[in-house]
């Protein structure tokens, strides 16, 4: 289902993660990785967002002309379980409809590197989504980046806060690139087209 909104309204793309160099390559920070790549593609650099506890980049995605879209890329700096506060503050500041908000996040119940795009739904125990849904309801888009389940008896918290393995890192750049493509397709062409192309 596509939700039509004012085509002139901006999109807010929130890459979810934890701030600080010690978390940079964690599985839980793949949302930051995708946001960083999108910023690079539009030629922007993340900067502190006024009073909001976040870093932002403003720019446009898509070809020159009427087909492109204004976007605000966001990396909440509040730690994962408090992501909803900064995202909501920026939603209000930029006057973004909830249907134009995209959360990019790690997903345990999907195989590593697999993408799933959807609108709305539950949080599946993901603390970043839980915080966003509590702050603004659940009717935002999600780009879910599969990280798989923990091996053996490893606790979920330990697994998501560990760096990608050396084997996973061999393909990580490719998968992050594909996730950034999926975000761009969602914003420019809509959810159904993006799902048809990237929901593998």
């Amino acid at each position: 289902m596509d939700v039509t909104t004012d085509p002139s309204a901006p999109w807010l793309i929130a890459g979810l993660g934890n701030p600080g160099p010690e978390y940079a390559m964690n599985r839980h920070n793949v949302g930051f990785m995708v946001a960083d790549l999108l910023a690079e593609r539009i030629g922007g650099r993340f900067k502190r967002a006024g009073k909001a506890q976040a870093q932002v980049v403003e720019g446009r995605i898509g070809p020159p002309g009427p087909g492109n879209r204004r976007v605000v890329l966001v990396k909440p700096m509040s730690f994962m379980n408090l992501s909803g506060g900064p995202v909501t503050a920026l939603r209000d500041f930029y006057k973004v409809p909830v249907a134009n908000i995209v959360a990019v996040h790690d997903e345990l119940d999907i195989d590593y590197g697999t993408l799933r795009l959807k609108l709305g739904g539950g949080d599946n125990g993901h603390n970043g989504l839980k915080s966003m849904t509590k702050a603004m309801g659940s009717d935002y888009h999600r780009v879910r980046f599969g990280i798989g389940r923990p091996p053996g008896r490893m606790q979920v918290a330990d697994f998501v806060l560990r760096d990608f393995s050396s084997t996973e890192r061999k393909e990580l750049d490719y998968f992050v690139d594909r996730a950034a493509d999926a975000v761009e397709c969602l914003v420019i062409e809509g959810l159904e087209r993006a799902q048809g192309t990237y929901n593998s």
Side-chain angles (χ1 to χ4, degrees):
M1 173 177 82
D2 277 327
V3 175
T4 54
T5 59
D6 177 357
S8 66
W11 283 74
L12 191 155
I13 299 160
L16 301 186
N18 287 308
E22 67 271 34
Y23 299 105
M25 290 303 296
N26 286 183
R27 294 181 177 92
H28 223 19
N29 269 43
V30 73
F32 275 18
M33 297 174 199
V34 175
D36 284 337
L37 179 56
L38 287 166
E40 189 180 308
R41 288 183 179 184
I42 65 175
R45 295 183 65 178
F46 277 100
K47 297 177 182 175
R48 178 91 187 207
K51 294 180 180 178
Q53 204 172 357
Q55 293 181 353
V56 300
V57 173
E58 296 180 55
R60 302 191 82 87
I61 283 177
N68 67 20
R69 298 286 181 266
R70 182 180 166 214
V71 296
V72 181
L73 306 176
V74 179
K75 293 196 298 185
M77 293 286 117
S78 55
F79 286 96
M80 182 68 85
N81 61 351
L82 298 172
S83 300
V87 174
T88 304
L90 291 166
R91 175 203 68 181
D92 294 345
F93 179 80
Y94 288 102
K95 299 179 172 57
V96 180
V98 173
N100 278 24
I101 294 173
V102 183
V104 185
H105 63 92
D106 57 303
E107 179 63 63
L108 286 161
D109 287 338
I110 302 175
D111 290 341
Y112 173 61
T114 300
L115 297 176
R116 292 282 187 275
L117 286 77
K118 69 174 187 174
L119 175 66
D123 56 58
N124 201 24
H126 192 287
N127 287 331
L129 297 183
K130 196 175 293 184
S131 177
M132 284 183 60
T133 297
K134 184 178 179 182
M136 67 179 71
S138 63
D139 294 333
Y140 53 90
H141 288 89
R142 299 103 189 277
V143 174
R144 305 155 73 204
F145 185 109
I147 61 170
R149 300 294 303 185
R153 296 185 178 182
M154 185 186 292
Q155 295 294 312
V156 165
D158 294 333
F159 179 68
V160 300
L161 293 175
R162 286 196 181 180
D163 289 357
F164 285 101
S165 70
S166 56
T167 302
E168 289 169 333
R169 282 201 294 273
K170 291 175 183 175
E171 295 185 291
L172 182 60
D173 287 348
Y174 168 76
F175 289 139
V176 169
D177 191 71
R178 193 164 183 271
D181 290 346
V183 172
E184 291 183 347
C185 184
L186 168 62
V187 169
I188 297 164
E189 301 189 53
L191 179 61
E192 286 186 13
R193 176 65 65 87
Q195 286 176 325
T197 304
Y198 295 97
N199 277 18
S200 47

